[in-house]
Amino acid sequence: MNFFRGVMGGQAPGPQPSGAETIQRLCDRVASSTLLDDRRDAVRALKSLSKKYRVEVGSQAMDHLINILQTDRSDSEILGYALDTLYNIICNDEEEEQDENAQKQADDLGAQFTDRFIQDPEHVTLLLALLEEFDFHVRWPGVKLLTALLKNQGVQVQGIILVSPMGVSRLMDLLADSREVIRNDGLLLLQQLTKSNAAIQKIVAFENAFERLLDIITEEGSSDGGIVVEDCLLLLLNLLKNNSSNQNFFKEGSYIQRMKPWFEVGDDNSGWSAQKVTNLHLMLQLVRVMVSPVNSPGATASCQKAMYQCGLLQQLCTILMATGVPADILTETINTVAEVIRGSQVNQDYFSSVNAPSNPPRPAIVVLLMSMVNERQPFVLRCAVLYCFQCFLYKNKKGQGEIVATLLPSTIDANSISAGQLLCGGLFSADSLSNWCAAVALAHALQDNLTQKEQLLRVQLATSLGKPPVSLLQQCTNILSQGSNVQTRVGLLILLCTWTSNCPIAVTHFLHNQENVPFLTAQISENLGEDERLVQGLCALLLGICIYYNDNSLENYTKEKLKQLIEKRIGKENFVEKLGFITKHELYSRAAQKPQPIFPSPEQMLFDHEFTKLVKELEGMITKAVHKSSEEEKKEEEVKKTLEQHDNIVTQYKELIREQDAQIQELKEQVSSASSQNEQMQVTITQQLSQIQQHKDQYNILKLKLGKENQSQGDGSQVNGLQTEELTQLRKEVEELRKEYTLLQTQLSGKDELINTLKAEGSVGGSDNTELLKELEALRSQVQSQIAEIDCMKTERQELLRRAEAGASNPVPDGDGWSDTAKIAELESRLAAQTTETERLKEEAKMSSESRVEMEQQHASATSTAAILQTENAKLQTDLQESKKEQDDLLMLLADQDHKILTLKKRLKDLGETVDDEDDLDARDQTDDDDEEEYYEDED
């Protein structure tokens, strides 16, 4: 009891032990006590001393505490004390009153104890197992201890957790804990776990981390939430930054759509807490991670499309044009909008249509450019606007044309401020940063766009009253020659180099001013200080562009004359050395890394990302062009002409190939049609082959049967068995064939009788027709004779009438007159009878003709039926012949078999074997049948 009294603060008589001695006694008690209560009290005492005596407790008690974690798993209280003690000796508490040296010593101490703890990976595995305990006093200190280990030695602990079975899954379960303290500390743990480890990031993402984190953000109030929202956003940034797999999973899971409500800022923007600003800043960074220019172009484009379709871009533009938004949030929003629209035509078109809520409404681009050329605006805000303008013009020829069009005389509106006017105003203002920003912005309007470079040559500026206007190109060279600020001159030279590159017309306009070339050569040849080196390099680049893209349209400034001028005034080696000043500048490499202009101060803002790519492209070309002689250039021109001729020949061959392709296509169609016909023929052949194969199969079956019989001859013991059965089967088949033959003979005889009957009917019909024709001819002759007789009688009648008329004029005796009258009456009656007979004969002739036609039709149908029956008869004859042939073959086979059987029987009899003849077998069967009949009769 005295021992515990001394440890817990009680006063004991005698000298008090030192801290190291007390800790040693406690460690001994932990190691040797058998009672759980004693060990628990000792560990609790070590916990109370662990902060004050960190080194002593860590060096003496760590092994005992780890042993407690392994052996006393059943007691959650002692586990909690042990974990708290280990946390106190490993964690580096950052106290404000400590100086840097003390803090460094504490960090080193924590790293040493961490190394000692993780020397055995099983200790980390043990800690992961303890996190499965639901008890608050075990799980919470375990989470804090593992977080401290990751802070001190992250890479090593990450490796151990990665290979531990279900290690990451156990940690992900912390997010589902209903106790907010454990859940929130679990977020901090996962932040440390996912730092710079892509493998763990992927595992955490596929453990449904996105869904859980977004749910927590929504529950905590999104941007209005507290520190928990910030921790969730930091973890999301860890999972998505520079991890294309997780970014694709985030997009495919439709989580981009769930980000839109984060940016729904109300109209009242007066109350922005520090936590809200932090949260919204992280949310904007999360959007930028998904559309960062360093991502693959395909992934960036798909995310940009999703952000436009779900309305996220529209929501960001609303924040952009809102009032009362803090400056840092506005700056980050501008940068975010810039990357969401960069290289996406649809998003760029939408952004160009956005108007600020002013009176009258102004385009958002104009409002942003007003901020860029305003020297009172913060430097980071002006850089963000320049970046947004550059992203709007990136691969956007339509937008470039719209910006240049605002500078052309035909489109200038005096009543409104345009983007072109603001750029010109910034280009010639007194603020050097505005000069540089305006020049670089205008250069982006000309980037890789020859049409706009030529259009910009039309722009005329009014310098002062009473003086003629000058071109924009000339005004830039005038300001350049006045020796203004270095930043201004660098910006103008960037604009001129971009303008004249790959544009011979612009080069001609530049060289047309007689003062430009002498100014450039003077600048390059002088030995100036360090600050002017960059200007000299840019002047050398501009002069080199004038040589490389020179079309020799000006006699005084041809390529050859400019090279001679460089050789005489500057020297080729000196010129190349001055040209190299650009890439050797310390700010060049910084600008070449990322498209976003990020500079610590306005004075260091000298290079643009796109211009660094142009310099890299032109430097080697200009160096070669300067060193080339006139003869080499002539050879190059000849080579170019040869290549042009070659291209013409290639074009001709291409046309010939197209024609041949068309012909080949036609031939292919013909081949395809022929192939289809061939396929049809093949089908027909296949059908015929199948029929042939069926006949062959039947033939092979018979051959196989014969082969089996031949094989069975070698075994004499099977003669009475198998061969008899096979012969019986063959006899049955012969009987069936005979029956079929008889049936075919019957059918054939029936068909023959039918044919003979039809022939007989046809012959009878023919004789009837002959008789009818004879009868018809007789009737016709009879009618003709009667007609002749009638005509004769008519003649007599006429004669009698004539004579009667003559008798009336010369009267004759009465007897003769009566006789004439009677004769006339008789003739008339005979004539009427003949007429009736004639009509009757005509009717009979008509009926005979009709019956003749009907008989002819019957004869024709009988003839066709006879032809059909003859065809069938021929077919039946063919079948009959085939059946006869098959029957003969079978009979031959049967005879052969009988002969073989007899031979074999004879051989068996010669060998002394008993062989039953078929007649004996039949007689025996008959005797058996008779015996059975007698038996049944006796029973009856």
Side-chain angles (χ1 to χ4, degrees):
M1 293 300 295
N2 292 336
F3 170 72
F4 283 107
R5 213 180 271 119
V7 172
M8 303 307 295
Q11 296 294 327
Q16 296 294 326
S18 65
E21 293 174 350
T22 304
I23 293 168
Q24 182 61 46
R25 291 178 183 176
L26 291 172
C27 291
D28 294 340
R29 197 60 177 262
V30 170
S32 60
S33 294
T34 56
L35 294 177
L36 178 61
D37 293 338
D38 290 345
R39 292 199 302 275
R40 187 189 302 118
D41 292 338
V43 173
R44 182 168 57 243
L46 286 172
K47 174 190 171 184
S48 63
L49 296 172
S50 58
K51 288 189 176 181
K52 185 176 181 181
Y53 299 100
R54 182 182 179 188
V55 177
E56 291 80 1
V57 173
S59 58
Q60 297 181 40
M62 179 175 286
D63 294 337
H64 300 295
L65 294 171
I66 294 173
N67 188 50
I68 289 292
L69 298 179
Q70 294 172 340
T71 57
D72 291 330
R73 295 284 297 273
S74 60
D75 187 71
S76 59
E77 189 174 357
I78 192 172
L79 288 177
Y81 292 148
L83 290 170
D84 283 332
T85 307
L86 288 170
Y87 173 74
N88 290 336
I89 62 177
I90 288 176
C91 179
N92 300 318
D93 290 331
E94 298 180 0
E95 299 179 1
E96 296 180 358
E97 61 270 12
Q98 288 184 347
D99 56 8
E100 293 182 1
N101 293 330
Q103 185 62 42
K104 186 177 180 181
Q105 291 177 2
D107 293 343
D108 293 340
L109 192 61
Q112 292 174 9
F113 286 134
T114 302
D115 288 336
R116 183 179 171 187
F117 184 85
I118 65 175
Q119 276 180 352
D120 187 356
E122 290 298 325
H123 296 164
V124 179
T125 306
L126 174 63
L127 187 56
L128 290 172
L130 290 173
L131 290 179
E132 292 185 344
E133 296 288 339
F134 187 74
D135 193 288
F136 179 81
H137 296 93
V138 177
R139 182 173 261 200
W140 186 40
V143 170
K144 293 193 295 181
L145 176 57
L146 189 55
T147 305
L149 293 172
L150 285 165
K151 284 182 179 179
N152 294 334
Q153 295 293 345
V155 178
Q156 291 87 338
V157 179
Q158 284 174 341
I160 297 171
I161 294 174
L162 190 60
V163 299
S164 176
M166 299 297 291
V168 178
S169 299
R170 291 170 180 172
L171 300 180
M172 284 299 300
D173 292 339
L174 298 174
L175 296 182
D177 201 303
S178 58
R179 294 160 293 192
E180 290 189 1
V181 176
I182 295 178
R183 184 198 67 183
N184 298 343
D185 282 346
L187 288 170
L188 298 176
L189 170 60
L190 290 171
Q191 284 180 27
Q192 298 297 326
L193 179 66
T194 55
K195 277 185 178 179
S196 305
N197 193 309
I200 293 179
Q201 289 169 2
K202 291 178 183 179
I203 296 172
V204 170
F206 282 96
E207 287 285 345
N208 206 22
F210 294 139
E211 184 75 28
R212 296 183 184 183
L213 292 173
L214 292 174
D215 288 342
I216 294 173
I217 291 173
T218 304
E219 292 170 4
E220 295 292 327
S222 297
S223 59
D224 293 323
I227 190 70
V228 178
V229 174
E230 179 182 349
D231 292 337
C232 290
L233 293 169
L234 288 172
L235 179 54
L236 284 172
L237 284 172
N238 281 354
L239 295 175
L240 292 173
K241 196 169 186 178
N242 300 323
N243 194 318
S244 58
S245 175
N246 283 2
Q247 290 173 7
N248 185 59
F249 182 62
F250 190 84
K251 176 182 70 67
E252 295 296 334
S254 301
Y255 295 118
I256 291 177
Q257 288 79 348
R258 295 185 62 178
M259 296 166 67
K260 181 192 172 186
W262 297 352
F263 304 102
E264 292 177 355
V265 181
D267 296 332
D268 186 13
N269 295 322
S270 56
W272 285 74
S273 63
Q275 187 61 55
K276 182 176 181 178
V277 170
T278 302
N279 291 345
L280 201 56
H281 198 276
L282 291 171
M283 290 172 179
L284 292 168
Q285 285 184 5
L286 197 60
V287 176
R288 291 185 65 184
V289 164
M290 298 299 297
V291 293
S292 175
V294 301
N295 297 344
S296 64
T300 301
S302 60
C303 290
Q304 288 172 335
K305 181 180 179 181
M307 289 177 183
Y308 173 76
Q309 290 177 345
C310 74
L312 181 58
L313 175 59
Q314 295 84 329
Q315 206 64 46
L316 293 173
C317 290
T318 302
I319 297 176
L320 197 66
M321 295 291 105
T323 57
V325 179
D328 52 349
I329 294 297
L330 181 60
T331 301
E332 191 64 22
T333 303
I334 294 172
N335 288 326
T336 305
V337 171
E339 293 182 351
V340 172
I341 67 173
R342 188 176 189 269
S344 174
Q345 187 65 53
V346 175
N347 294 5
Q348 289 167 341
D349 291 343
Y350 170 77
F351 182 69
S352 65
S353 66
V354 175
N355 289 322
S358 60
N359 193 13
R362 290 176 177 171
I365 297 173
V366 173
V367 176
L368 292 175
L369 288 177
M370 291 173 68
S371 302
M372 186 185 74
V373 298
N374 187 353
E375 56 185 313
R376 290 177 293 181
Q377 293 292 340
F379 172 64
V380 290
L381 179 63
R382 298 173 73 180
C383 291
V385 173
L386 175 62
Y387 182 48
C388 186
F389 189 74
Q390 291 173 349
C391 292
F392 168 68
L393 298 177
Y394 182 70
K395 293 183 179 180
N396 184 9
K397 294 188 180 297
K398 179 182 176 183
Q400 289 175 329
E402 292 173 353
I403 297 299
V404 173
T406 58
L407 288 165
L408 298 178
S410 58
T411 58
I412 292 178
D413 186 2
N415 298 324
S416 62
I417 299 175
S418 65
Q421 293 172 356
L422 289 170
L423 291 176
C424 283
L427 193 62
F428 307 124
S429 70
D431 179 32
S432 62
L433 183 60
S434 296
N435 301 151
W436 189 90
C437 291
V440 170
L442 200 54
H444 276 263
L446 307 175
Q447 194 77 38
D448 299 327
N449 196 327
L450 181 60
T451 303
Q452 302 310 323
K453 290 178 181 179
E454 295 175 358
Q455 288 291 320
L456 199 63
L457 294 172
R458 297 169 49 202
V459 177
Q460 300 289 322
L461 301 176
T463 54
S464 60
L465 293 174
K467 291 185 178 181
V470 297
S471 67
L472 177 62
L473 182 65
Q474 184 60 46
Q475 184 65 17
C476 290
T477 56
N478 291 341
I479 296 174
L480 188 63
S481 61
Q482 291 174 4
S484 53
N485 187 283
V486 172
Q487 192 174 35
T488 301
R489 284 183 288 163
V490 169
L492 291 171
L493 285 168
I494 289 174
L495 173 60
L496 291 172
C497 290
T498 306
W499 195 346
T500 54
S501 66
N502 201 24
C503 184
I505 298 175
V507 171
T508 303
H509 277 71
F510 180 79
L511 295 176
H512 193 269
N513 188 346
Q514 302 293 329
E515 299 177 358
N516 289 340
V517 173
F519 168 74
L520 293 177
T521 54
Q523 287 287 317
I524 298 168
S525 59
E526 289 182 5
N527 292 321
L528 303 174
E530 293 290 332
D531 296 339
E532 297 291 333
R533 280 193 164 192
L534 179 57
V535 176
Q536 286 184 312
L538 292 172
C539 289
L541 179 65
L542 182 57
L543 186 57
I545 291 171
C546 292
I547 294 173
Y548 189 79
Y549 293 105
N550 196 333
D551 58 1
N552 296 325
S553 58
L554 295 176
E555 185 178 354
N556 295 332
Y557 295 110
T558 61
K559 286 185 178 181
E560 188 60 31
K561 289 185 178 180
L562 287 174
K563 286 193 286 186
Q564 292 175 2
L565 184 65
I566 289 173
E567 190 173 359
K568 292 178 182 179
R569 298 283 182 88
I570 305 169
K572 291 183 179 180
E573 299 300 329
N574 190 25
F575 177 83
V576 174
E577 182 184 358
K578 297 294 177 66
L579 184 62
F581 285 166
I582 303 174
T583 55
K584 292 177 182 178
H585 199 278
E586 58 182 353
L587 298 176
Y588 175 87
S589 58
R590 178 184 296 179
Q593 292 174 359
K594 292 183 179 180
Q596 183 181 0
I598 301 175
F599 298 98
S601 64
E603 294 78 16
Q604 294 182 351
M605 200 167 182
L606 294 175
F607 282 103
D608 172 60
H609 177 75
E610 293 296 327
F611 181 70
T612 59
K613 295 196 290 187
L614 180 65
V615 171
K616 187 176 180 180
E617 177 186 351
L618 293 176
E619 185 177 9
M621 296 160 52
I622 291 171
T623 303
K624 290 180 181 179
V626 169
H627 283 96
K628 281 179 185 176
S629 62
S630 59
E631 295 179 356
E632 291 177 346
E633 287 186 354
K634 288 180 181 179
K635 288 181 180 179
E636 281 191 357
E637 290 179 358
E638 292 177 358
V639 170
K640 286 181 180 178
K641 291 180 180 178
T642 306
L643 289 174
E644 289 177 358
Q645 294 176 357
H646 177 72
D647 290 340
N648 293 331
I649 295 171
V650 170
T651 304
Q652 293 176 1
Y653 276 115
K654 284 181 179 178
E655 292 177 356
L656 179 62
I657 289 169
R658 288 193 190 97
E659 294 176 359
Q660 292 178 350
D661 284 341
Q663 295 176 0
I664 290 170
Q665 190 64 30
E666 292 178 359
L667 292 173
K668 282 182 178 179
E669 292 176 357
Q670 295 177 6
V671 169
S672 63
S673 63
S675 299
S676 62
Q677 294 176 2
N678 185 30
E679 289 176 358
Q680 294 176 358
M681 296 298 294
Q682 289 291 338
V683 171
T684 306
I685 291 170
T686 304
Q687 293 175 354
Q688 294 177 354
L689 289 173
S690 64
Q691 294 176 358
I692 293 170
Q693 188 63 38
Q694 290 176 359
H695 295 302
K696 285 183 177 179
D697 292 341
Q698 294 174 359
Y699 176 70
N700 290 330
I701 289 170
L702 292 173
K703 285 181 68 178
L704 183 63
K705 289 179 180 178
L706 291 174
K708 287 182 178 179
E709 291 172 358
N710 291 331
Q711 289 176 2
S712 64
Q713 288 178 3
D715 190 1
S717 63
Q718 295 180 358
V719 171
N720 290 328
L722 294 176
Q723 286 190 349
T724 304
E725 292 177 359
E726 290 175 358
L727 286 172
T728 305
Q729 186 176 356
L730 286 171
R731 285 194 179 98
K732 288 181 180 179
E733 290 178 0
V734 170
E735 289 296 327
E736 289 177 359
L737 288 172
R738 284 176 179 171
K739 290 179 181 178
E740 289 178 4
Y741 175 73
T742 305
L743 180 63
L744 289 172
Q745 287 281 19
T746 306
Q747 292 177 357
L748 186 61
S749 61
K751 296 289 184 181
D752 288 336
E753 291 175 0
L754 180 62
I755 290 168
N756 294 328
T757 304
L758 290 171
K759 285 182 178 179
E761 290 177 357
S763 62
V764 171
S767 61
D768 291 343
N769 288 337
T770 306
E771 292 177 0
L772 287 171
L773 288 171
K774 288 180 180 180
E775 187 177 353
L776 184 62
E777 289 296 330
L779 288 172
R780 283 179 180 172
S781 61
Q782 188 177 357
V783 169
Q784 290 294 332
S785 64
Q786 289 181 354
I787 289 171
E789 188 178 354
I790 290 168
D791 290 337
C792 183
M793 293 175 70
K794 283 181 179 180
T795 305
E796 290 180 0
R797 182 185 177 190
Q798 292 294 331
E799 183 65 24
L800 288 172
L801 288 173
R802 185 179 58 76
R803 288 170 65 183
E805 289 177 357
S809 60
N810 297 311
V812 292
D814 293 336
D816 294 335
W818 181 85
S819 60
D820 291 338
T821 303
K823 196 173 183 177
I824 290 169
E826 183 183 357
L827 287 172
E828 286 179 353
S829 62
R830 286 174 63 190
L831 180 62
Q834 290 292 330
T835 303
T836 305
E837 184 68 17
T838 302
E839 292 295 332
R840 187 181 63 79
L841 291 173
K842 286 182 179 180
E843 288 293 332
E844 289 180 359
K846 183 178 180 182
M847 291 174 64
S848 298
S849 299
E850 291 177 355
S851 62
R852 179 188 176 188
V853 171
E854 184 177 356
M855 291 297 293
E856 287 178 351
Q857 291 177 353
Q858 291 178 0
H859 183 265
S861 61
T863 303
S864 62
T865 306
I868 293 169
L869 290 172
Q870 285 177 357
T871 305
E872 292 181 357
N873 186 20
K875 186 177 180 182
L876 290 171
Q877 289 287 348
T878 304
D879 294 341
L880 182 61
Q881 292 297 326
E882 290 179 357
S883 298
K884 284 182 178 179
K885 187 177 179 181
E886 290 178 359
Q887 186 177 3
D888 293 339
D889 292 340
L890 288 171
L891 290 172
M892 291 292 294
L893 290 172
L894 192 59
D896 291 340
Q897 290 295 322
D898 289 338
H899 179 70
K900 290 176 183 178
I901 291 169
L902 291 172
T903 304
L904 291 171
K905 283 181 178 180
K906 186 177 180 181
R907 289 176 61 187
L908 287 171
K909 288 179 180 180
D910 293 340
L911 293 171
E913 293 290 336
T914 302
V915 179
D916 294 332
D917 293 332
E918 289 183 4
D919 296 337
D920 297 338
L921 291 172
D922 293 339
R924 191 178 299 166
D925 293 339
Q926 183 65 35
T927 304
D928 292 339
D929 294 339
D930 293 340
D931 292 340
E932 287 178 2
E933 289 177 0
E934 291 176 1
Y935 175 75
Y936 288 126
E937 288 175 357
D938 293 338
E939 283 185 353
D940 293 339

